[in-house]
């Protein structure tokens, strides 16, 4: 059996493989249980294997690459166009097999174990920050029911809670509920701090992350996320393509020779896009106090465009600068070209 290409539909327990020979003729349609995966692929001669990007794609890619196979990961949205009628594991595997051989297909670089561990820390930190915000909003709302309000910010909320505990008019049941929320906020803050220390330690040992952190609006969190996510910056032909990959460019609705641009596409990594927009917003808030060529450009744009539109435009610019630093190995210079 001469297999040239295999489309592998990944799952938790039952996998589906579809293989073709060099002429494109189907020579393999096989269902594999998890315990059969390693013995089956270890006996096959090296071939091209296509998989869809999912939670376990990078693990299986590393495992199969170690066996000598050429594994390529594809975004599921790009594979969907090759699915024929219906929905089944066999049809999905056939579509993957067809898509992986297309010359214009875009692939996802395989991440290392270290890169995945850093991104896991980022996702966990993001989850904990959301949970802390939820607990803080609940605490603030409950205290407002008793006429106790404070300015935004966790620090002001702690002072407000101290006032609440000093108020003997609050019922015992309210005190107990407030204690639970305050204790939960403190625990989450401690856990977030521990993850921040881990990210700072990785940042200190990663040269690309340190260079990225010099960009205005790109701190340790954004720099480590970019360095761990973008494993191969050369896969992007330009900074604009990198910004488009992050969903920071206008989405086109063009036809009949007429160009119509809408809002940003919001495709790609939502987490990275959010970090860049938040960083751009922080730069804009200090634009008048710290004049630089970048802030001069921001202030000129603010005279004729809304604040949020300018913040997204600045995030787009930051993404392009990050691509240059990653691709060329240069250092950011605020008053001139990178070197």
């Amino acid at each position: 059996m001469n297999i040239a290409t295999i489309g592998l539909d990944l799952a938790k327990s039952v996998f589906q493989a579809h293989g073709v020979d060099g002429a494109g003729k189907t020579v393999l349609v096989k269902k594999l249980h998890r315990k059969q995966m390693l013995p089956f692929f270890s006996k096959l001669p090296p071939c091209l294997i296509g998989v869809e990007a999912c939670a376990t794609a990078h693990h299986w890619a590393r495992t199969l690459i170690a066996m000598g196979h050429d594994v390529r990961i594809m975004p599921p949205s790009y594979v969907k166009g090759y699915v024929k009628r219906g929905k089944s594991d066999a049809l999905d595997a056939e579509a993957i097999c067809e898509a992986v051989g297309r010359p214009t297909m875009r692939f996802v670089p395989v991440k290392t174990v270290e890169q995945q561990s850093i991104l896991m820390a980022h996702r966990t930190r993001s989850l904990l920050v959301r949970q802390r915000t939820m607990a803080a909003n609940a605490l603030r709302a409950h205290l407002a029911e008793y006429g106790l309000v404070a300015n935004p910010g966790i620090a002001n909320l702690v002072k407000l809670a101290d006032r609440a505990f000093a108020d003997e008019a609050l019922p015992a049941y309210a005190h107990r509920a407030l204690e639970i929320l305050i204790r939960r906020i403190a625990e989450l803050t401690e856990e977030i701090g521990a993850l921040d220390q881990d990210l700072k330690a990785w940042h200190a040992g990663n040269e690309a992350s340190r260079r990225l952190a010099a960009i205005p609006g790109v701190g340790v969190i954004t720099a480590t996320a970019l360095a761990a996510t973008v494993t191969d910056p050369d896969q992007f032909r330009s900074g604009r393509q990198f910004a488009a990959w992050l969903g920071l460019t206008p989405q086109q609705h063009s036809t009949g020779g007429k160009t119509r641009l809408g809002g940003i596409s919001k495709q790609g990594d939502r987490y990275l896009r959010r970090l860049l927009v938040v960083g751009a917003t922080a730069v804009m808030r200090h634009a008048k106090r710290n004049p630089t060529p970048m802030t001069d450009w921001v202030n000129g744009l603010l005279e004729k465009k809304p604040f949020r539109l300018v913040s997204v435009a600045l995030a787009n610019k930051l993404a392009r600068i990050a691509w240059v630093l990653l691709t060329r190995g240069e250092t950011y210079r605020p008053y001139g070209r990178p070197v």
Side-chain angles (χ1 to χ4, degrees):
M1 184 169 56
N2 184 20
I3 302 176
T5 306
I6 292 179
L8 181 61
D9 185 39
L10 299 177
K12 186 161 55 176
S13 302
V14 181
F15 302 75
Q16 182 72 37
H18 182 96
V20 298
D21 59 14
K25 181 180 179 181
T26 300
V27 294
L28 172 70
V29 178
K30 189 175 181 64
K31 184 181 292 185
L32 297 165
H33 289 274
R34 192 177 187 87
K35 62 182 179 181
Q36 298 174 308
M37 285 284 289
L38 296 181
F40 176 78
F41 283 100
S42 62
K43 296 176 183 178
L44 285 180
C47 61
L48 174 63
I49 300 177
V51 297
E52 287 183 320
C54 63
T56 59
H58 293 278
H59 163 72
W60 284 112
R62 291 192 298 265
T63 302
L64 296 175
I65 288 173
M67 297 179 182
H69 299 289
D70 181 12
V71 183
R72 299 181 184 179
I73 304 175
M74 299 168 289
S77 59
Y78 293 169
V79 178
K80 187 176 181 181
Y82 295 92
V83 178
K84 297 183 176 69
R85 293 188 178 183
K87 171 70 176 73
S88 69
D89 293 344
L91 290 173
D92 289 345
E94 182 182 0
I96 295 170
C97 186
E98 177 71 22
V100 74
R102 297 301 91 201
T104 58
M105 179 55 64
R106 297 176 182 175
F107 300 104
V108 179
V110 179
K111 290 184 175 62
T112 64
V113 174
E114 181 187 20
Q115 287 170 329
Q116 282 195 292
S117 65
I118 292 300
L119 292 177
M120 185 184 299
H122 271 280
R123 296 300 188 269
T124 304
R125 182 186 182 279
S126 179
L127 173 63
L128 295 180
V129 169
R130 290 199 304 271
Q131 291 178 345
R132 184 178 66 176
T133 302
M134 292 170 61
N137 289 340
L139 178 60
R140 191 181 295 276
H142 291 323
L143 291 175
E145 294 179 1
Y146 293 97
L148 300 172
V149 296
N151 293 329
I154 293 292
N156 292 323
L157 187 60
V158 172
K159 296 177 183 178
L160 184 63
D162 293 338
R163 285 172 49 199
F165 282 117
D167 189 353
E168 298 180 356
L170 289 181
Y173 296 116
H175 275 282
R176 190 171 299 112
L178 295 177
E179 286 177 1
I180 293 173
L181 288 174
I182 293 172
R183 185 168 60 250
R184 185 58 184 150
I185 292 173
E187 292 172 354
L188 289 169
T189 301
E190 182 179 354
E191 291 165 354
I192 292 169
L195 288 174
D196 286 342
Q197 292 302 317
D198 292 341
L199 293 176
K200 288 179 181 178
W202 189 82
H203 168 77
N206 187 277
E207 192 263 343
S209 180
R210 293 197 304 272
R211 283 190 284 108
L212 289 170
I215 303 173
V218 178
V220 173
I221 300 300
T222 307
T224 52
L226 282 169
T229 302
V230 185
T231 56
D232 181 18
D234 291 327
Q235 65 178 307
F236 306 103
R237 294 192 301 271
S238 64
R240 188 190 187 285
Q241 191 180 63
F242 178 56
W245 179 72
L246 290 172
L248 288 169
T249 53
Q251 190 168 13
Q252 288 200 33
H253 302 278
S254 305
T255 184
K258 296 181 180 179
T259 301
R260 295 186 179 90
L261 299 179
I264 60 173
S265 65
K266 297 185 179 180
Q267 300 295 312
D269 196 315
R270 182 184 302 176
Y271 180 68
L272 283 180
R273 185 170 61 251
R274 177 164 59 86
L275 288 178
L276 287 170
V277 172
V278 170
T281 304
V283 171
M284 292 173 61
R285 287 176 177 169
H286 298 84
K288 293 184 178 179
R289 284 179 285 179
N290 301 312
T292 63
M294 180 181 291
T295 56
D296 291 342
W297 176 81
V298 168
N299 290 328
L301 207 56
L302 282 172
E303 293 177 359
K304 50 188 176 181
K305 297 294 182 182
F307 184 91
R308 181 50 62 198
L309 188 150
V310 177
S311 68
V312 174
L314 180 56
N316 184 307
K317 181 183 284 288
L318 296 180
R320 296 182 186 215
I321 295 173
W323 176 82
V324 171
L325 300 188
L326 288 172
T327 305
R328 304 177 186 174
E330 298 174 343
T331 303
Y332 177 74
R333 295 178 61 190
Y335 293 97
R337 291 177 57 84
V339 298

